[in-house]
Amino acid sequence: MKKLSENINEIILESISDGVFTVNHHWEITMFNRSAEEITGIPRGEALGKKCWDVFRSNMCESDCALKKTMREGRPFVSDSTYIVNSEKKRIPVTACASLLKDETGKVVGGVEIFRDHTLVEELRKELTTRFRMGDMVSKSPAMQRMFENLPRIAESESATLIEGETGVGKELAARAIHNLSLRKDNPFVPVNCGALPDSLLESELFGYKKGAFTHAVKDKPGIFQAAADGTIFLDEIGETSPAFQVRLLRALESREFRPLGAVEKVKADFRIIAATHRNLGEMIQSGEFRADLFYRINVVALDIPPLRERMEDIPMLIDHFVEKLNRIRGKHLAGVDEKALEMLMSHDFPGNIRELENIIEHGFALCREGRIGLRHLPAALSGAPPKTNGHEPSGDLVKAAEVKVIMDAMRKNRYNRAAAARDMGIHKSTLFRKIKRLGLDLPKAPPSSG
């Protein structure tokens, strides 16, 4: 029993599932437990005496790891998003916690780090994320999940597809997903922004032209309809085209043949059309801005992507998706956003939808060096506060009071009808409800409507 008590610390260290190692002031490993051997795949005898960075080859070894911070500042540090490279040169995701190593007299003799293998957690997270992913789109909202279920069948159908939705919701991502799920996936996917080009340029881009068709046409140029042979053409912002151009486009879609500018003979081509718009084409037909026959040609299958404000439950998952992507591209290891930053993002209306959220995260990513993106890393405009002037920042209380005044004015004007007040303010009613809750406003119920 006495012998057991003398070796109890060693027995505990050898029994726990977390890896534990210690270093001296020269960063040489002086202790390496059994779990450290198992996680790294490096035998204890081989690790002892080596520099810790030669054993772990972590991404944090290249910058400022938890152990270095601890040794420098004399206090514990935790790294909750990092990896090591094992003996088989595979990345192992880990969390690490570092503390000072002291002897019986309290003298600092080195550092100790405990690290935990998160491989299983990461595998489960990826498996869960896969359920909510389609191509580069990520969502767990019921409306988007129904769309994800339908995309493979839409892809198989080869039918012309119209994708509707506000700017920034991910219409091109949906189009790419359809293409990549179809039999055309090994052939070109060619996006065309119809709103960015005048009719003459748009025609020459799509149909191509022959040498001498116009000034500066010094050689033949194949159009996108030819370049995308056996592939998919994505006509983004088709609602921005003129009725005159729509006539030529309709003929090409109906006959699957077209005449390049300046050509005599028609050219046949096999392609699939996916179109997208942020405008209401039904209303444009009524006003004469869009041809009804073209609408019915491209609207065989319709998809409507809801704006981000109507699927706020997707925001945490989208943030993780963007942070993971930026970590991979920039070689960083940020862990996401903190609670206050997430709360701020969850209260935002996102008029720019997913594109706006991605830009906000990229802004925060650029300013945050390690750990999690916080409020101080987010764009100042996100809080609704006016920009700084004369070196003085506006008071948070004044900003809050201004926001309360705007809401209360709209509520009184609309007799406390939340939906009507939201319309008056130009925001979605769910956004107004979140703002009321965040500001702690106690509002009377709307009076019953008469008649």
Side-chain angles (χ1 to χ4, degrees):
M1 191 69 180
K2 183 178 179 182
K3 187 175 181 181
L4 179 64
S5 64
E6 290 175 353
N7 298 329
I8 191 68
N9 290 339
E10 184 178 347
I11 292 171
I12 292 171
L13 285 171
E14 291 300 301
S15 301
I16 62 175
S17 59
D18 291 344
V20 182
F21 72 97
T22 60
V23 296
N24 59 23
H25 287 294
H26 301 293
W27 303 102
E28 296 164 342
I29 295 176
T30 54
M31 191 278 292
F32 205 71
N33 77 339
R34 178 188 55 80
S35 290
E37 288 183 297
E38 292 176 356
I39 296 171
T40 62
I42 297 174
R44 184 176 320 185
E46 191 177 318
L48 292 175
K50 279 191 174 179
K51 304 286 188 184
C52 55
W53 50 79
D54 289 332
V55 172
F56 291 97
R57 293 170 288 182
S58 167
N59 57 333
M60 291 196 72
C61 295
E62 301 164 5
S63 54
D64 210 11
C65 73
L67 195 55
K68 284 179 184 175
K69 291 179 186 175
T70 292
M71 298 285 276
R72 183 177 65 244
E73 300 185 27
R75 59 187 180 91
F77 275 95
V78 176
S79 170
D80 58 358
S81 178
T82 187
Y83 66 82
I84 62 172
V85 179
N86 69 8
S87 59
E88 297 176 354
K89 297 184 178 178
K90 291 182 180 178
R91 286 188 176 192
I92 308 295
V94 297
T95 54
C97 176
S99 299
L100 293 175
L101 181 65
K102 299 178 181 179
D103 63 15
E104 297 86 351
T105 65
K107 180 183 177 183
V108 176
V109 295
V112 56
E113 184 167 299
I114 302 171
F115 60 99
R116 177 169 295 178
D117 185 350
H118 274 236
T119 300
L120 181 58
V121 174
E122 281 296 302
E123 288 174 354
L124 290 172
R125 186 185 65 80
K126 286 178 181 177
E127 184 179 334
L128 185 63
T129 302
T130 302
R131 288 173 48 203
F132 302 122
R133 183 188 294 268
M134 180 64 72
D136 284 331
M137 295 184 293
V138 177
S139 177
K140 60 182 179 181
S141 76
M144 291 295 288
Q145 283 294 299
R146 285 192 295 274
M147 191 183 82
F148 287 178
E149 289 174 11
N150 289 330
L151 282 185
R153 291 189 283 274
I154 293 171
E156 290 172 10
S157 74
E158 289 284 305
S159 299
T161 303
L162 177 63
I163 304 172
E164 297 177 289
E166 295 179 8
T167 299
V169 294
K171 296 187 288 292
E172 183 172 338
L173 294 181
R176 286 184 183 276
I178 292 170
H179 172 76
N180 291 332
L181 289 166
S182 75
L183 295 175
R184 299 178 183 269
K185 64 180 183 295
D186 296 324
N187 298 310
F189 174 88
V190 185
V192 182
N193 189 333
C194 299
L197 299 171
D199 274 10
S200 57
L201 280 178
L202 190 56
E203 284 193 29
S204 65
E205 283 296 307
L206 286 177
F207 303 128
Y209 53 81
K210 305 297 285 185
K211 179 181 176 180
F214 51 84
T215 308
H216 305 306
V218 295
K219 62 179 180 178
D220 291 355
K221 179 181 181 294
I224 287 171
F225 280 167
Q226 281 179 274
D230 301 320
T232 302
I233 298 173
F234 175 56
L235 299 177
D236 196 12
E237 299 302 351
I238 196 167
E240 307 304 315
T241 58
S242 70
F245 172 80
Q246 292 166 25
V247 173
R248 284 203 73 185
L249 178 61
L250 177 62
R251 288 198 193 115
L253 298 184
E254 286 181 332
S255 63
R256 296 289 163 174
E257 60 181 20
F258 58 93
R259 184 180 288 112
L261 298 177
V264 176
E265 300 294 328
K266 289 185 177 181
V267 178
K268 284 190 174 292
D270 177 35
F271 50 81
R272 180 181 188 168
I273 285 290
I274 300 176
T277 181
H278 75 282
R279 302 182 68 180
N280 187 322
L281 295 187
E283 291 181 357
M284 292 181 69
I285 291 171
Q286 295 297 319
S287 64
E289 297 175 88
F290 201 84
R291 294 183 62 94
D293 44 7
L294 178 58
F295 175 75
Y296 294 123
R297 173 60 61 181
I298 63 176
N299 192 36
V300 178
V301 178
L303 287 176
D304 187 9
I305 303 179
L308 185 55
R309 63 178 174 274
E310 292 181 8
R311 48 188 175 106
M312 300 294 282
E313 66 269 34
D314 286 342
I315 288 178
M317 183 177 288
L318 285 165
I319 290 170
D320 289 343
H321 174 66
F322 295 140
V323 170
E324 182 182 329
K325 183 171 100 173
L326 288 166
N327 275 333
R328 190 170 59 249
I329 294 170
R330 307 280 174 81
K332 291 171 74 172
H333 43 270
L334 299 191
V337 302
D338 65 21
E339 288 185 13
K340 289 189 176 180
L342 180 59
E343 184 181 341
M344 172 69 77
L345 291 169
M346 292 296 289
S347 68
H348 186 53
D349 199 35
F350 289 104
N353 291 292
I354 295 172
R355 187 179 296 133
E356 181 186 1
L357 175 60
E358 184 172 13
N359 288 345
I360 289 169
I361 296 303
E362 188 167 355
H363 179 281
F365 196 93
L367 299 183
C368 180
R369 295 187 60 189
E370 59 188 9
R372 294 182 181 273
I373 296 170
L375 284 176
R376 68 188 184 280
H377 304 122
L378 299 181
L382 192 63
S383 65
K388 294 180 183 180
T389 57
N390 299 326
H392 298 292
E393 193 170 354
S395 164
D397 289 340
L398 291 175
V399 173
K400 182 177 178 180
E403 193 170 12
V404 169
K405 184 179 186 304
V406 169
I407 292 173
M408 292 305 297
D409 286 349
M411 294 297 285
R412 282 191 287 267
K413 178 182 174 183
N414 292 281
R415 302 181 66 202
Y416 296 97
N417 182 307
R418 272 72 164 169
R423 281 195 301 272
D424 202 36
M425 294 171 67
I427 62 176
H428 194 267
K429 63 181 180 180
S430 61
T431 303
L432 177 59
F433 292 162
R434 285 193 301 275
K435 288 180 180 291
I436 290 171
K437 184 178 179 182
R438 176 167 57 84
L439 295 167
L441 300 180
D442 187 16
L443 301 172
K445 291 183 179 180
S449 57
S450 59

